[in-house]
Amino acid sequence: MKIAIIGYGQMGKLIEKIAPDFGLEVVSKIDPILENEITEESIKDAEVCIDFSLPNSVLPNARKIANLRKNLVIGTTGWQEHFAEIEQLSKKFGIGIIYGSNFSIGMNTFFLIVENAAKLMNQLPQYDAFGYEMHHNKKQDSPSGTAKTLADIVINNLDRKTIRQYEKLDRKINPEEFHFSSIRCGNIPGTHTIGFDSMADTIELKHTARNREGFAQGAIQAAKWINDKKGMFNFQEIFYEILMDKK
Ligand SMILES: NC(=O)c1ccc[n+]([C@@H]2O[C@H](COP(=O)([O-])OP(=O)(O)OC[C@H]3O[C@@H](n4cnc5c(N)ncnc54)[C@H](OP(=O)(O)O)[C@@H]3O)[C@@H](O)[C@H]2O)c1
């Protein structure tokens, strides 16, 4: 299968490196640093485009890719305000788009663990809940897309938490607020922690990415999966199917 890499940064370069191990051929790379843009000529005969660029680039990139009737994997985070328009592009042009705040299999397993923990905590009112994430100092968005997904999971499954709170507070926090903070430092590839705290103890669930390889592998598996599909899909909802796919 032939792919185009949109965004030749840390993730784009890693995907280029490991793509052959998964039977993929990189026929096109698009990045300001390569002084090219998405056109019919530059994308060549790529079947799927994988976008790991910048939050502000996702919508303009998706418009161009949809016009070329190519399927798309969106790994970039921080574009949720454009979700409706991007979904509309997939319908209008009949293309497949798969997106995910985090393409690592481990993190998607972690999502399920957190979902079950949050449900369990409905029976244990003595526990409050919190979250925090840490990333490298070059990351452009905050909180991370993964942090937002984790906060959604807690809010949707722990009845007493109804409000996402990512900001610093100059007041007491309200019991229904779920506080999730962000730290930016050094080279951390991504650490996410969800905690539950009572008078007696603290329970912490923590996912630590050791490197970016897990994200790149998941994005490549997503590209293979979306190749023959139409519509808009969340990686989180179909990752079990991808795991079981022995192609
Ligand atoms: N979903 C996941 O599993 C996952 C995992 C890791 C990272 N991410 C996300 O993926 C994104 C990229 O991460 P990264 O670490 O690879 O960032 P990065 O190293 O900054 O790479 C982004 C690259 O995209 C380029 N770019 C900007 N606008 C573009 C456009 N319109 N078309 C093509 N390329 C463009 C940038 O060029 P300039 O520097 O010249 O602007 C840069 O080279 C971030 O949003 C990050 O949060 C997601």
Side-chain angles (χ1 to χ4, degrees):
M1 198 181 109
K2 294 178 179 178
I3 60 164
I5 292 174
I6 317 296
Y8 196 51
Q10 299 190 71
M11 285 303 299
K13 286 177 183 142
L14 187 53
I15 286 172
E16 179 185 36
K17 188 175 148 208
I18 68 170
D21 301 342
F22 293 84
L24 300 191
E25 184 188 350
V26 180
V27 294
S28 171
K29 293 176 283 192
I30 308 291
D31 192 288
I33 208 162
L34 303 172
E35 295 180 359
N36 59 5
E37 286 186 6
I38 300 167
T39 63
E40 196 168 359
E41 293 71 39
S42 68
I43 289 290
K44 299 185 186 149
D45 54 348
E47 293 156 275
V48 178
C49 300
I50 303 182
D51 185 311
F52 276 99
S53 61
L54 298 179
N56 287 339
S57 305
V58 171
L59 179 59
N61 287 348
R63 284 188 187 128
K64 292 177 197 163
I65 290 163
N67 256 302
L68 297 171
R69 307 275 192 302
K70 304 285 183 185
N71 281 5
L72 174 61
V73 177
I74 306 179
T76 313
T77 55
W79 53 274
Q80 283 310 302
E81 72 263 34
H82 304 303
F83 186 90
E85 189 173 340
I86 292 182
E87 189 174 37
Q88 194 51 37
L89 285 173
S90 118
K91 284 187 188 139
K92 185 175 165 196
F93 292 93
I95 60 163
I97 300 179
I98 185 164
Y99 64 95
S101 62
N102 193 307
F103 279 112
S104 95
I105 298 301
M107 179 52 86
N108 282 274
T109 306
F110 188 68
F111 288 154
L112 290 179
I113 292 168
V114 170
E115 182 181 328
N116 281 297
K119 281 182 181 150
L120 185 63
M121 284 296 159
N122 285 318
Q123 314 306 320
L124 299 164
Q126 65 270 38
Y127 284 90
D128 200 356
F130 63 91
Y132 60 92
E133 54 102 343
M134 302 191 289
H135 276 92
H136 55 90
N137 57 20
K138 297 189 183 55
K139 186 160 173 61
Q140 304 243 354
D141 56 332
S142 169
S144 69
T146 306
K148 289 186 192 164
T149 303
L150 285 165
D152 288 347
I153 291 170
V154 171
I155 297 285
N156 293 336
N157 292 285
L158 179 57
D159 299 341
R160 58 186 176 276
K161 292 289 177 189
T162 54
I163 297 169
R164 298 154 185 79
Q165 183 54 262
Y166 301 113
E167 306 298 332
K168 105 176 174 61
L169 296 175
D170 295 313
R171 58 166 171 81
K172 257 175 69 183
I173 191 156
N174 296 319
E176 64 275 18
E177 288 176 293
F178 175 61
H179 207 181
F180 201 126
S181 64
S182 297
I183 296 160
R184 296 289 172 260
C185 177
N187 295 296
I188 304 165
T191 299
H192 294 83
T193 303
I194 296 291
F196 303 97
D197 189 76
S198 75
M199 291 288 276
D201 54 12
T202 305
I203 301 168
E204 284 198 346
L205 305 171
K206 180 170 171 181
H207 178 274
T208 307
R210 193 163 293 138
N211 53 44
R212 293 161 177 267
E213 194 113 355
F215 307 133
Q217 285 182 14
I220 283 174
Q221 285 168 310
K224 287 180 152 188
W225 187 86
I226 199 70
N227 187 24
D228 53 1
K229 308 249 180 350
K230 288 180 181 182
M232 183 105 169
F233 302 92
N234 184 343
F235 184 76
Q236 200 186 325
E237 285 158 10
I238 52 93
F239 95 101
Y240 262 135
E241 194 185 319
I242 288 182
L243 267 188
M244 297 305 148
D245 189 358
K246 301 280 183 255
K247 271 193 292 186

